[in-house]
Short mmCIF file of all heavy atoms in Angstrom, two decimals:
data_model
loop_
_atom_site.label_atom_id
_atom_site.label_comp_id
_atom_site.label_asym_id
_atom_site.label_seq_id
_atom_site.Cartn_x
_atom_site.Cartn_y
_atom_site.Cartn_z
N MET A 13 -8.96 -1.51 27.80
CA MET A 13 -9.03 -1.88 26.34
C MET A 13 -10.44 -1.44 25.77
O MET A 13 -10.46 -1.06 24.56
CB MET A 13 -8.96 -3.54 26.31
CG MET A 13 -9.01 -4.00 24.85
SD MET A 13 -7.83 -3.10 23.59
CE MET A 13 -6.35 -3.89 24.14
N ILE A 14 -11.45 -1.43 26.55
CA ILE A 14 -12.76 -0.97 26.09
C ILE A 14 -12.65 0.51 25.71
O ILE A 14 -13.19 0.95 24.68
CB ILE A 14 -13.81 -1.24 27.08
CG1 ILE A 14 -14.01 -2.77 27.07
CG2 ILE A 14 -15.12 -0.65 26.62
CD1 ILE A 14 -14.96 -3.34 28.15
N ALA A 15 -11.97 1.29 26.48
CA ALA A 15 -11.78 2.69 26.13
C ALA A 15 -11.04 2.86 24.87
O ALA A 15 -11.40 3.74 23.96
CB ALA A 15 -10.98 3.43 27.24
N ARG A 16 -10.01 2.12 24.62
CA ARG A 16 -9.32 2.08 23.25
C ARG A 16 -10.25 1.81 22.20
O ARG A 16 -10.20 2.45 21.14
CB ARG A 16 -8.08 1.19 23.31
CG ARG A 16 -7.47 1.06 21.89
CD ARG A 16 -5.89 0.68 21.99
NE ARG A 16 -5.34 0.49 20.89
CZ ARG A 16 -5.09 1.32 19.91
NH1 ARG A 16 -5.29 2.59 20.20
NH2 ARG A 16 -4.47 1.04 18.83
N LEU A 17 -11.09 0.84 22.28
CA LEU A 17 -12.14 0.31 21.31
C LEU A 17 -13.01 1.49 21.03
O LEU A 17 -13.27 1.80 19.85
CB LEU A 17 -12.78 -0.96 21.83
CG LEU A 17 -13.76 -1.50 20.82
CD1 LEU A 17 -13.02 -2.00 19.50
CD2 LEU A 17 -14.36 -2.79 21.39
N LYS A 18 -13.52 2.07 22.04
CA LYS A 18 -14.39 3.30 21.89
C LYS A 18 -13.71 4.40 21.03
O LYS A 18 -14.29 5.05 20.24
CB LYS A 18 -14.93 3.77 23.15
CG LYS A 18 -15.96 2.88 23.80
CD LYS A 18 -16.40 3.49 25.20
CE LYS A 18 -17.37 2.49 25.73
NZ LYS A 18 -17.87 3.07 26.98
N ALA A 19 -12.42 4.69 21.50
CA ALA A 19 -11.75 5.66 20.75
C ALA A 19 -11.56 5.32 19.27
O ALA A 19 -11.61 6.17 18.34
CB ALA A 19 -10.40 5.90 21.43
N LEU A 20 -11.11 4.11 18.97
CA LEU A 20 -10.99 3.71 17.58
C LEU A 20 -12.29 3.79 16.92
O LEU A 20 -12.32 4.28 15.69
CB LEU A 20 -10.43 2.27 17.47
CG LEU A 20 -9.03 1.99 18.03
CD1 LEU A 20 -8.78 0.59 18.13
CD2 LEU A 20 -7.96 2.55 17.12
N ARG A 21 -13.37 3.42 17.44
CA ARG A 21 -14.63 3.56 16.74
C ARG A 21 -15.07 4.92 16.45
O ARG A 21 -15.56 5.36 15.37
CB ARG A 21 -15.79 2.88 17.48
CG ARG A 21 -15.68 1.36 17.50
CD ARG A 21 -16.77 0.72 18.23
NE ARG A 21 -16.71 -0.71 18.32
CZ ARG A 21 -17.19 -1.54 19.02
NH1 ARG A 21 -17.94 -1.00 20.12
NH2 ARG A 21 -17.22 -2.82 18.92
N SER A 22 -14.66 5.87 17.43
CA SER A 22 -14.96 7.28 17.21
C SER A 22 -14.12 7.86 16.06
O SER A 22 -14.73 8.55 15.17
CB SER A 22 -14.62 7.98 18.53
OG SER A 22 -14.85 9.41 18.40
N ARG A 23 -12.84 7.53 16.13
CA ARG A 23 -12.02 7.95 14.86
C ARG A 23 -12.47 7.46 13.57
O ARG A 23 -12.47 8.12 12.54
CB ARG A 23 -10.55 7.57 15.22
CG ARG A 23 -9.86 8.35 16.36
CD ARG A 23 -8.46 7.85 16.70
NE ARG A 23 -7.58 7.87 15.55
CZ ARG A 23 -6.49 7.23 15.45
NH1 ARG A 23 -6.18 6.43 16.42
NH2 ARG A 23 -5.79 7.31 14.37
N HIS A 24 -12.89 6.21 13.55
CA HIS A 24 -13.39 5.52 12.31
C HIS A 24 -14.73 6.34 11.88
O HIS A 24 -14.79 6.64 10.64
CB HIS A 24 -13.82 4.10 12.61
CG HIS A 24 -14.18 3.34 11.39
ND1 HIS A 24 -15.47 3.29 10.87
CD2 HIS A 24 -13.54 2.63 10.51
CE1 HIS A 24 -15.55 2.66 9.87
NE2 HIS A 24 -14.42 2.17 9.56
N SER A 25 -15.56 6.71 12.79
CA SER A 25 -16.70 7.45 12.47
C SER A 25 -16.37 8.79 11.86
O SER A 25 -17.03 9.30 10.93
CB SER A 25 -17.61 7.51 13.71
OG SER A 25 -18.74 8.32 13.31
N ILE A 26 -15.41 9.42 12.52
CA ILE A 26 -14.96 10.80 12.09
C ILE A 26 -14.49 10.75 10.62
O ILE A 26 -14.81 11.47 9.76
CB ILE A 26 -14.01 11.44 12.97
CG1 ILE A 26 -14.68 11.76 14.30
CG2 ILE A 26 -13.40 12.64 12.39
CD1 ILE A 26 -13.72 12.07 15.47
N ILE A 27 -13.69 9.75 10.37
CA ILE A 27 -13.01 9.53 8.95
C ILE A 27 -14.08 9.24 7.99
O ILE A 27 -14.07 9.84 6.93
CB ILE A 27 -11.95 8.48 9.03
CG1 ILE A 27 -10.72 8.90 9.84
CG2 ILE A 27 -11.53 8.12 7.58
CD1 ILE A 27 -9.85 10.11 9.31
N GLU A 28 -15.07 8.34 8.40
CA GLU A 28 -16.12 8.09 7.52
C GLU A 28 -16.97 9.39 7.08
O GLU A 28 -17.30 9.57 5.97
CB GLU A 28 -17.07 7.10 8.17
CG GLU A 28 -18.27 6.64 7.35
CD GLU A 28 -17.89 5.85 6.14
OE1 GLU A 28 -16.95 5.13 6.18
OE2 GLU A 28 -18.64 6.00 5.08
N SER A 29 -17.17 10.20 8.18
CA SER A 29 -17.95 11.44 7.85
C SER A 29 -17.05 12.41 6.88
O SER A 29 -17.67 12.94 5.99
CB SER A 29 -18.22 12.22 9.08
OG SER A 29 -19.02 11.50 9.93
N ARG A 30 -15.84 12.46 7.16
CA ARG A 30 -14.91 13.22 6.31
C ARG A 30 -14.90 12.77 4.77
O ARG A 30 -14.92 13.52 3.83
CB ARG A 30 -13.60 13.40 6.78
CG ARG A 30 -13.56 14.20 8.17
CD ARG A 30 -12.17 14.25 8.62
NE ARG A 30 -12.03 15.12 9.84
CZ ARG A 30 -10.99 15.26 10.56
NH1 ARG A 30 -9.94 14.65 10.32
NH2 ARG A 30 -11.13 15.98 11.63
N ILE A 31 -14.88 11.47 4.60
CA ILE A 31 -14.93 10.84 3.32
C ILE A 31 -16.27 11.19 2.64
O ILE A 31 -16.20 11.66 1.49
CB ILE A 31 -14.74 9.29 3.46
CG1 ILE A 31 -13.41 8.85 3.78
CG2 ILE A 31 -15.04 8.70 1.99
CD1 ILE A 31 -13.25 7.52 4.23
N GLN A 32 -17.34 11.04 3.28
CA GLN A 32 -18.71 11.34 2.74
C GLN A 32 -18.80 12.82 2.29
O GLN A 32 -19.18 13.19 1.34
CB GLN A 32 -19.80 11.04 3.74
CG GLN A 32 -19.98 9.50 3.89
CD GLN A 32 -21.01 9.09 4.87
OE1 GLN A 32 -21.56 10.12 5.56
NE2 GLN A 32 -21.25 7.77 5.06
N ARG A 33 -18.25 13.78 3.19
CA ARG A 33 -18.22 15.07 2.92
C ARG A 33 -17.39 15.35 1.65
O ARG A 33 -17.83 16.15 0.76
CB ARG A 33 -17.65 15.96 4.09
CG ARG A 33 -18.83 16.44 5.07
CD ARG A 33 -18.21 17.44 5.95
NE ARG A 33 -16.97 16.91 6.60
CZ ARG A 33 -16.61 17.05 7.79
NH1 ARG A 33 -17.28 17.85 8.59
NH2 ARG A 33 -15.46 16.61 8.19
N GLU A 34 -16.25 14.82 1.51
CA GLU A 34 -15.36 15.10 0.43
C GLU A 34 -16.06 14.62 -0.87
O GLU A 34 -15.94 15.16 -1.93
CB GLU A 34 -14.02 14.46 0.68
CG GLU A 34 -12.97 14.73 -0.46
CD GLU A 34 -12.63 16.23 -0.47
OE1 GLU A 34 -12.58 16.88 0.53
OE2 GLU A 34 -12.23 16.63 -1.60
N GLU A 35 -16.66 13.43 -0.78
CA GLU A 35 -17.34 12.88 -2.02
C GLU A 35 -18.46 13.68 -2.38
O GLU A 35 -18.89 13.55 -3.60
CB GLU A 35 -17.74 11.35 -1.66
CG GLU A 35 -16.61 10.41 -1.57
CD GLU A 35 -17.00 8.96 -1.08
OE1 GLU A 35 -18.03 8.89 -0.54
OE2 GLU A 35 -16.24 8.11 -1.56
N MET A 36 -19.13 14.53 -1.52
CA MET A 36 -20.32 15.29 -1.89
C MET A 36 -19.86 16.61 -2.54
O MET A 36 -20.70 17.32 -3.06
CB MET A 36 -21.13 15.60 -0.65
CG MET A 36 -21.70 14.31 0.03
SD MET A 36 -22.80 13.58 -0.99
CE MET A 36 -24.34 14.41 -0.26
N ARG A 37 -18.56 16.96 -2.37
CA ARG A 37 -18.16 18.21 -3.00
C ARG A 37 -18.21 18.24 -4.38
O ARG A 37 -18.19 17.12 -5.00
CB ARG A 37 -16.64 18.51 -2.49
CG ARG A 37 -16.39 18.75 -1.09
CD ARG A 37 -15.04 19.04 -0.67
NE ARG A 37 -14.42 19.98 -1.62
CZ ARG A 37 -13.23 20.11 -1.87
NH1 ARG A 37 -12.32 19.41 -1.29
NH2 ARG A 37 -12.74 21.09 -2.75
N PRO A 38 -18.40 19.43 -5.03
CA PRO A 38 -18.60 19.47 -6.53
C PRO A 38 -17.24 18.90 -7.26
O PRO A 38 -17.40 18.19 -8.27
CB PRO A 38 -18.68 20.94 -6.79
CG PRO A 38 -19.13 21.46 -5.54
CD PRO A 38 -18.66 20.78 -4.48
N SER A 39 -16.13 19.12 -6.68
CA SER A 39 -14.90 18.60 -7.25
C SER A 39 -14.10 17.91 -6.17
O SER A 39 -13.10 18.35 -5.60
CB SER A 39 -13.99 19.70 -7.85
OG SER A 39 -14.67 20.40 -8.88
N PRO A 40 -14.62 16.63 -5.86
CA PRO A 40 -13.84 15.92 -4.78
C PRO A 40 -12.37 15.59 -5.13
O PRO A 40 -12.03 15.44 -6.26
CB PRO A 40 -14.63 14.69 -4.66
CG PRO A 40 -15.51 14.57 -5.86
CD PRO A 40 -15.55 15.90 -6.50
N ASP A 41 -11.63 15.72 -4.17
CA ASP A 41 -10.15 15.33 -4.22
C ASP A 41 -9.92 13.84 -4.17
O ASP A 41 -9.94 13.26 -3.00
CB ASP A 41 -9.42 16.16 -3.20
CG ASP A 41 -7.87 15.98 -3.35
OD1 ASP A 41 -7.41 15.05 -3.89
OD2 ASP A 41 -7.13 16.75 -2.66
N SER A 42 -9.66 13.12 -5.22
CA SER A 42 -9.63 11.72 -5.12
C SER A 42 -8.38 11.19 -4.30
O SER A 42 -8.45 10.27 -3.77
CB SER A 42 -9.50 11.16 -6.58
OG SER A 42 -8.52 11.65 -7.27
N LEU A 43 -7.39 11.92 -4.38
CA LEU A 43 -6.26 11.48 -3.65
C LEU A 43 -6.51 11.68 -2.07
O LEU A 43 -6.05 10.70 -1.22
CB LEU A 43 -4.93 12.49 -3.90
CG LEU A 43 -4.32 12.16 -5.37
CD1 LEU A 43 -3.13 13.09 -5.55
CD2 LEU A 43 -3.80 10.75 -5.44
N ARG A 44 -7.10 12.73 -1.77
CA ARG A 44 -7.46 12.86 -0.37
C ARG A 44 -8.55 11.69 0.08
O ARG A 44 -8.33 11.18 1.17
CB ARG A 44 -8.18 14.21 -0.10
CG ARG A 44 -8.49 14.45 1.32
CD ARG A 44 -9.05 16.01 1.38
NE ARG A 44 -9.00 16.31 2.78
CZ ARG A 44 -9.03 17.47 3.21
NH1 ARG A 44 -9.26 18.46 2.32
NH2 ARG A 44 -9.01 17.81 4.43
N ILE A 45 -9.45 11.37 -0.78
CA ILE A 45 -10.36 10.46 -0.49
C ILE A 45 -9.68 9.05 -0.32
O ILE A 45 -9.90 8.29 0.61
CB ILE A 45 -11.43 10.15 -1.53
CG1 ILE A 45 -12.45 11.45 -1.49
CG2 ILE A 45 -12.35 8.96 -1.38
CD1 ILE A 45 -13.37 11.67 -2.62
N MET A 46 -8.72 8.75 -1.13
CA MET A 46 -7.97 7.47 -1.13
C MET A 46 -7.19 7.41 0.16
O MET A 46 -7.15 6.32 0.78
CB MET A 46 -7.10 7.46 -2.43
CG MET A 46 -6.56 6.09 -2.59
SD MET A 46 -5.67 5.79 -4.13
CE MET A 46 -4.66 7.27 -4.26
N SER A 47 -6.55 8.47 0.52
CA SER A 47 -5.80 8.52 1.76
C SER A 47 -6.67 8.21 2.99
O SER A 47 -6.33 7.55 3.91
CB SER A 47 -5.13 9.85 1.90
OG SER A 47 -4.47 10.02 3.09
N MET A 48 -7.87 8.91 2.97
CA MET A 48 -8.72 8.76 4.12
C MET A 48 -9.26 7.27 4.17
O MET A 48 -9.52 6.80 5.23
CB MET A 48 -9.87 9.70 4.06
CG MET A 48 -9.45 11.16 4.40
SD MET A 48 -10.81 12.33 4.61
CE MET A 48 -11.36 12.50 2.93
N LYS A 49 -9.57 6.75 3.02
CA LYS A 49 -10.04 5.34 2.98
C LYS A 49 -8.97 4.37 3.42
O LYS A 49 -9.28 3.36 4.12
CB LYS A 49 -10.54 4.98 1.59
CG LYS A 49 -11.78 5.57 1.16
CD LYS A 49 -12.36 5.14 -0.20
CE LYS A 49 -13.73 5.77 -0.52
NZ LYS A 49 -14.12 5.16 -1.66
N LYS A 50 -7.77 4.63 3.21
CA LYS A 50 -6.60 3.88 3.77
C LYS A 50 -6.63 3.96 5.31
O LYS A 50 -6.49 2.90 6.01
CB LYS A 50 -5.26 4.23 3.06
CG LYS A 50 -4.21 3.46 3.55
CD LYS A 50 -2.88 3.83 2.81
CE LYS A 50 -1.79 3.00 3.13
NZ LYS A 50 -0.50 3.32 2.30
N ILE A 51 -6.69 5.17 5.75
CA ILE A 51 -6.76 5.31 7.20
C ILE A 51 -8.00 4.57 7.88
O ILE A 51 -7.80 3.96 8.83
CB ILE A 51 -6.78 6.89 7.65
CG1 ILE A 51 -5.58 7.53 7.22
CG2 ILE A 51 -7.04 6.99 9.10
CD1 ILE A 51 -5.47 9.03 7.19
N ARG A 52 -9.12 4.70 7.16
CA ARG A 52 -10.40 4.06 7.56
C ARG A 52 -10.10 2.46 7.72
O ARG A 52 -10.57 1.98 8.61
CB ARG A 52 -11.47 4.43 6.75
CG ARG A 52 -12.83 3.74 7.16
CD ARG A 52 -13.88 4.16 6.24
NE ARG A 52 -13.70 3.58 4.97
CZ ARG A 52 -14.45 3.67 3.86
NH1 ARG A 52 -15.55 4.47 3.87
NH2 ARG A 52 -14.22 3.14 2.69
N LEU A 53 -9.48 2.01 6.72
CA LEU A 53 -9.18 0.51 6.60
C LEU A 53 -8.27 0.14 7.83
O LEU A 53 -8.52 -0.81 8.50
CB LEU A 53 -8.61 0.15 5.33
CG LEU A 53 -8.30 -1.37 5.19
CD1 LEU A 53 -9.42 -2.31 5.37
CD2 LEU A 53 -7.59 -1.53 3.81
N GLN A 54 -7.25 0.87 8.05
CA GLN A 54 -6.32 0.66 9.15
C GLN A 54 -7.06 0.70 10.62
O GLN A 54 -6.87 -0.15 11.44
CB GLN A 54 -5.22 1.63 9.16
CG GLN A 54 -4.24 1.46 8.08
CD GLN A 54 -3.27 2.61 7.83
OE1 GLN A 54 -3.38 3.71 8.43
NE2 GLN A 54 -2.11 2.43 7.06
N LEU A 55 -7.86 1.65 10.73
CA LEU A 55 -8.69 1.85 11.89
C LEU A 55 -9.65 0.63 12.05
O LEU A 55 -9.74 0.03 13.13
CB LEU A 55 -9.45 3.01 11.95
CG LEU A 55 -8.79 4.33 12.14
CD1 LEU A 55 -9.62 5.56 11.83
CD2 LEU A 55 -8.15 4.40 13.57
N ARG A 56 -10.24 0.01 10.92
CA ARG A 56 -11.14 -1.04 10.96
C ARG A 56 -10.37 -2.26 11.48
O ARG A 56 -10.80 -3.11 12.27
CB ARG A 56 -11.71 -1.33 9.64
CG ARG A 56 -12.83 -2.35 9.56
CD ARG A 56 -14.03 -1.81 10.39
NE ARG A 56 -14.77 -2.95 10.85
CZ ARG A 56 -15.22 -3.08 12.15
NH1 ARG A 56 -15.16 -2.08 12.95
NH2 ARG A 56 -15.88 -4.13 12.56
N GLU A 57 -9.08 -2.47 10.86
CA GLU A 57 -8.26 -3.54 11.41
C GLU A 57 -7.84 -3.49 12.82
O GLU A 57 -8.02 -4.48 13.55
CB GLU A 57 -6.99 -3.58 10.40
CG GLU A 57 -7.38 -4.03 9.02
CD GLU A 57 -6.23 -3.85 7.99
OE1 GLU A 57 -5.15 -3.34 8.48
OE2 GLU A 57 -6.23 -4.38 6.89
N GLU A 58 -7.67 -2.35 13.29
CA GLU A 58 -7.28 -2.03 14.73
C GLU A 58 -8.59 -2.48 15.54
O GLU A 58 -8.46 -3.07 16.60
CB GLU A 58 -6.82 -0.74 14.99
CG GLU A 58 -5.37 -0.45 14.47
CD GLU A 58 -4.98 0.90 14.89
OE1 GLU A 58 -4.97 1.17 16.19
OE2 GLU A 58 -4.51 1.71 14.07
N ILE A 59 -9.69 -2.00 15.13
CA ILE A 59 -11.01 -2.26 15.91
C ILE A 59 -11.18 -3.80 15.94
O ILE A 59 -11.55 -4.31 17.02
CB ILE A 59 -12.17 -1.55 15.16
CG1 ILE A 59 -12.10 -0.07 15.29
CG2 ILE A 59 -13.56 -2.10 15.63
CD1 ILE A 59 -13.09 0.74 14.48
N GLN A 60 -11.03 -4.53 14.82
CA GLN A 60 -11.22 -5.91 14.82
C GLN A 60 -10.30 -6.58 15.88
O GLN A 60 -10.56 -7.60 16.58
CB GLN A 60 -11.07 -6.50 13.37
CG GLN A 60 -12.18 -6.12 12.53
CD GLN A 60 -11.95 -6.56 10.99
OE1 GLN A 60 -10.74 -6.81 10.62
NE2 GLN A 60 -13.00 -6.66 10.29
N LYS A 61 -9.03 -6.22 15.90
CA LYS A 61 -7.96 -6.80 16.79
C LYS A 61 -8.49 -6.47 18.26
O LYS A 61 -8.40 -7.40 19.09
CB LYS A 61 -6.59 -6.26 16.61
CG LYS A 61 -6.00 -6.68 15.26
CD LYS A 61 -4.65 -6.04 15.15
CE LYS A 61 -4.05 -6.49 13.76
NZ LYS A 61 -2.77 -5.67 13.42
N ALA A 62 -8.85 -5.22 18.46
CA ALA A 62 -9.25 -4.78 19.97
C ALA A 62 -10.61 -5.56 20.32
O ALA A 62 -10.64 -6.09 21.36
CB ALA A 62 -9.51 -3.41 19.99
N GLU A 63 -11.52 -5.74 19.36
CA GLU A 63 -12.63 -6.53 19.68
C GLU A 63 -12.42 -7.98 19.99
O GLU A 63 -12.95 -8.58 20.96
CB GLU A 63 -13.68 -6.56 18.50
CG GLU A 63 -14.44 -5.24 18.28
CD GLU A 63 -15.21 -5.09 17.05
OE1 GLU A 63 -14.93 -5.92 16.12
OE2 GLU A 63 -16.09 -4.25 17.02
N ALA A 64 -11.45 -8.66 19.32
CA ALA A 64 -10.92 -9.96 19.61
C ALA A 64 -10.31 -10.11 20.99
O ALA A 64 -10.61 -11.00 21.69
CB ALA A 64 -10.03 -10.35 18.53
N MET A 65 -9.51 -9.07 21.37
CA MET A 65 -8.83 -9.09 22.63
C MET A 65 -9.95 -8.96 23.77
O MET A 65 -9.81 -9.60 24.76
CB MET A 65 -7.80 -7.94 22.73
CG MET A 65 -6.62 -8.18 21.73
SD MET A 65 -5.47 -6.84 21.93
CE MET A 65 -4.73 -7.14 23.51
N VAL A 66 -10.87 -7.97 23.45
CA VAL A 66 -11.93 -7.82 24.56
C VAL A 66 -12.73 -9.17 24.57
O VAL A 66 -12.96 -9.63 25.79
CB VAL A 66 -12.88 -6.69 24.20
CG1 VAL A 66 -14.12 -6.78 25.04
CG2 VAL A 66 -12.10 -5.32 24.29
N LEU A 67 -13.14 -9.78 23.64
CA LEU A 67 -13.79 -11.07 23.63
C LEU A 67 -13.02 -12.07 24.31
O LEU A 67 -13.61 -12.86 25.10
CB LEU A 67 -14.10 -11.57 22.13
CG LEU A 67 -14.91 -12.76 22.06
CD1 LEU A 67 -16.40 -12.53 22.77
CD2 LEU A 67 -15.19 -13.20 20.61
N GLN A 68 -11.63 -12.15 24.09
CA GLN A 68 -10.85 -13.17 24.74
C GLN A 68 -10.87 -12.96 26.23
O GLN A 68 -10.99 -13.91 27.12
CB GLN A 68 -9.49 -13.16 24.17
CG GLN A 68 -9.26 -13.82 22.89
CD GLN A 68 -7.78 -13.67 22.35
OE1 GLN A 68 -7.03 -13.06 22.91
NE2 GLN A 68 -7.60 -14.37 21.23
N SER A 69 -10.73 -11.69 26.64
CA SER A 69 -10.63 -11.38 28.07
C SER A 69 -11.97 -11.69 28.76
O SER A 69 -12.08 -12.18 29.93
CB SER A 69 -10.28 -9.86 28.31
OG SER A 69 -11.34 -9.05 27.94
N VAL A 70 -13.04 -11.50 28.11
CA VAL A 70 -14.56 -11.86 28.74
C VAL A 70 -14.56 -13.35 28.74
O VAL A 70 -14.99 -13.89 29.72
CB VAL A 70 -15.59 -11.36 27.69
CG1 VAL A 70 -16.92 -11.94 28.14
CG2 VAL A 70 -15.58 -9.76 27.88
N GLU A 71 -14.07 -14.21 27.78
CA GLU A 71 -14.20 -15.61 27.85
C GLU A 71 -13.37 -16.13 28.87
O GLU A 71 -13.68 -17.22 29.46
CB GLU A 71 -13.74 -16.10 26.39
CG GLU A 71 -14.89 -15.98 25.31
CD GLU A 71 -14.34 -16.27 23.99
OE1 GLU A 71 -13.14 -16.62 23.81
OE2 GLU A 71 -15.18 -16.43 22.98
N ARG A 72 -12.21 -15.48 29.22
CA ARG A 72 -11.29 -16.00 30.23
C ARG A 72 -11.65 -15.65 31.60
O ARG A 72 -11.35 -16.45 32.53
CB ARG A 72 -9.95 -15.37 29.95
CG ARG A 72 -9.13 -16.03 28.87
CD ARG A 72 -7.76 -15.39 28.67
NE ARG A 72 -7.21 -15.62 27.39
CZ ARG A 72 -6.20 -15.07 26.95
NH1 ARG A 72 -5.52 -14.11 27.58
NH2 ARG A 72 -5.61 -15.33 25.81
N SER A 73 -12.51 -14.68 31.83
CA SER A 73 -12.93 -14.22 33.24
C SER A 73 -13.84 -15.31 33.73
O SER A 73 -14.73 -15.92 33.00
CB SER A 73 -13.64 -12.99 33.14
OG SER A 73 -14.82 -12.92 32.35
N PRO A 74 -13.64 -15.55 35.09
CA PRO A 74 -14.50 -16.53 35.82
C PRO A 74 -15.93 -16.02 35.76
O PRO A 74 -16.27 -14.95 35.90
CB PRO A 74 -13.91 -16.65 37.05
CG PRO A 74 -13.12 -15.44 37.40
CD PRO A 74 -12.64 -14.89 35.96
N ALA A 75 -16.84 -16.99 35.69
CA ALA A 75 -18.42 -16.78 35.71
C ALA A 75 -18.84 -16.54 37.02
O ALA A 75 -18.36 -16.84 38.04
CB ALA A 75 -19.07 -17.80 35.00
#
């Protein structure tokens, strides 16, 4: 699960960079930005779910 979390965070970071690059262009494509922001939000939601699952597994593990 931790590997999945790392992969999601990496994808989120890549999308964030692409959004920033597109916004810096002289004529940014607003539809492309909107689409990437939607993907970024979906990734963020997946990250939150994965973090919750990791936290639950840590709390369940014996000390």
Side-chain angles (χ1 to χ4, degrees):
M13 183 51 73
I14 292 176
R16 173 154 174 73
L17 185 54
K18 286 181 183 180
L20 288 169
R21 286 180 176 159
S22 176
R23 288 176 56 200
H24 184 273
S25 178
I26 290 167
I27 293 294
E28 180 67 32
S29 296
R30 289 181 181 172
I31 290 169
Q32 290 176 356
R33 269 190 310 216
E34 185 65 32
E35 289 176 335
M36 300 289 273
R37 289 182 49 203
S39 298
D41 183 341
S42 59
L43 290 176
R44 184 177 197 162
I45 292 170
M46 192 168 48
S47 174
M48 287 189 290
K49 284 184 176 185
K50 186 175 182 178
I51 292 168
R52 182 182 64 183
L53 178 59
Q54 290 170 342
L55 287 169
R56 188 69 208 136
E57 290 171 350
E58 286 185 54
I59 289 168
Q60 290 173 337
K61 288 177 187 175
E63 287 173 340
M65 291 177 73
V66 168
L67 185 59
Q68 284 178 353
S69 68
V70 168
E71 289 173 349
R72 288 182 190 166
S73 64

